[in-house]
Amino acid sequence: MNPLDTGKTRPILGRTSVCPRVLGRNNFRGRDIAIDLGTANTLVFVRGRGIVVSEPSVVAIDERSGEVYAVGDEAKRMIGRTPATISAQRPLRHGVITDYEITERMLRYFIGRVHSGRLSHPRVVMCVPSGVTDVEQRAVQEACLAAGAREVVLIEEPMAAAIGADLPVAEPTANMVVDVGGGTSEVAVISMGGFVVARSLRIGGYDLDEAIATYVRAEHKLAVGEQTAEQIKLSLGSAARPREEEMAVRGRDLVSGLPKSVRLTGAEVRQALDEPLRAIVAAVKDTLEETPPELSSDIVNSGMLLAGGGCLLHGFADRLHEETGMPTRLADSPLTTVAEGAGRSLDEIDVIKRTHGGRPGRTRTA
């Protein structure tokens, strides 16, 4: 078992059913927001408006002045294409912060996109992986507070995905979620508003890209960039049977140092992706094995919900069905399900603070 996996009962971080009495008691302001701070993309949900920001979690920094040169889509286009004075980088890896200062500046930019006033300090519901440590969760909260939030409350990604997909998470029945993002894969069985079994595997879409780049380097002696590897995954990648297509891949020859082009087949890409995919499937199987029998029978009937960009990989749903025997269904909007669920939880943000069970919210002190 991966040492980063968790397999114990986990308390709910936020109540998941919208209770009219709770809504009637609380006077929420329209500036409250939810943020899905992902390794690949950051989505911002504004209460009453829906998702208003969806951009890559990339920041371009001017190394000479330290100023932010670009954020989001514009910064992503610069990856691997900048001069020495500009650095385009992702401040998160495996769903957690690796560069606190850059993350703070990125959050400040995204929050400023939806709340431009200097005196506007929104309350924020922030999504985090279910396996996040106390140190990692504090880093997320502190970065968000430093970026201008008045208060930060955390909700775990599988729970947010379940809420966003309208699963009956408050009922005494099993709801299974598999959420494969850019940096983590989350597997959880939810019943009566809590996690019965939950696993957080620090393997995601970028690990698939890296596996492809490593294969091309080893087998073809060709160095390819991050975006080229991603394009190969989208064009030829498969979790089940190899795709029959092939494509020309351009990069730098590791022997001569000159530009070079090779032909890559779907079978080769399928081989490259095998190891990380096996790890994700194993986490799903382990979760099913530890699920109580009564809830297992529910999963046989209802199946598992697939969310996150990684679940869009060709044949991924079929692979899970073949190896587990469980029905699978893709969320209506896999890329936005987590953010939408976090946004719906804004209706009960005070309830989240009372029932989160161990992931405290934090408030500005000045």
Side-chain angles (χ1 to χ4, degrees), residues 27-42:
N27 180 24
F28 294 108
R29 299 181 181 180
R31 65 187 185 184
D32 291 344
I33 64 177
I35 300 177
D36 177 12
L37 183 64
T39 304
N41 298 290
T42 295

Side-chain angles (χ1 to χ4, degrees), residues 108-291:
R108 187 179 298 277
Y109 169 82
F110 287 133
I111 292 175
R113 286 271 302 272
V114 297
H115 293 298
S116 57
R118 292 185 60 187
L119 298 179
S120 178
H121 296 293
R123 293 190 298 179
V124 176
V125 170
M126 179 75 75
C127 300
V128 294
S130 60
V132 69
T133 66
D134 290 341
V135 172
E136 291 165 346
Q137 72 140 8
R138 282 197 298 271
V140 171
Q141 291 172 315
E142 295 296 346
C144 195
L145 290 171
R150 180 171 87 254
E151 185 177 10
V152 183
V153 178
L154 303 184
I155 185 170
E156 293 175 326
E157 290 170 0
M159 185 64 71
I163 298 171
D166 290 321
L167 297 184
V169 294
E171 301 297 324
T173 183
N175 300 276
M176 186 167 182
V177 176
V178 179
D179 175 22
V180 182
T184 62
S185 294
E186 309 283 323
V187 187
V189 176
I190 302 168
S191 178
M192 296 185 67
F195 289 172
V196 180
V197 185
R199 275 183 165 73
S200 182
L201 187 67
R202 297 197 174 183
I203 295 177
Y206 284 121
D207 296 278
L208 301 182
D209 298 343
E210 187 174 330
I212 292 172
T214 299
Y215 177 89
V216 173
R217 175 183 289 269
E219 297 297 324
H220 295 279
K221 301 297 184 289
L222 187 73
V224 297
E226 175 185 311
Q227 297 190 55
T228 298
E230 182 181 20
Q231 186 56 48
I232 294 171
K233 178 182 69 177
L234 296 175
S235 300
L236 298 179
S238 176
R241 302 180 190 85
R243 298 168 73 172
E244 297 180 358
E245 299 94 334
E246 61 178 48
M247 65 180 291
V249 177
R250 299 174 180 83
R252 176 172 54 83
D253 191 317
L254 294 175
V255 178
S256 67
L258 300 176
K260 175 184 173 181
S261 177
V262 301
R263 301 293 297 183
L264 203 62
T265 67
E268 289 182 288
V269 177
R270 174 64 184 82
Q271 180 181 341
L273 295 176
D274 186 61
E275 184 176 350
L277 286 174
R278 278 192 288 109
I280 295 172
V281 172
V284 174
K285 288 183 175 180
D286 289 343
T287 302
L288 287 168
E289 289 174 1
E290 295 186 22
T291 301

Side-chain angles (χ1 to χ4, degrees), residues 74-103:
E74 185 179 355
K76 183 179 179 180
R77 289 193 292 268
M78 298 179 183
I79 293 178
R81 300 174 180 272
T82 61
T85 56
I86 297 177
S87 173
Q89 53 191 289
R90 299 181 184 276
L92 293 98
R93 183 169 177 80
H94 298 309
V96 297
I97 294 173
T98 56
D99 191 311
Y100 175 87
E101 182 179 350
I102 294 180
T103 301

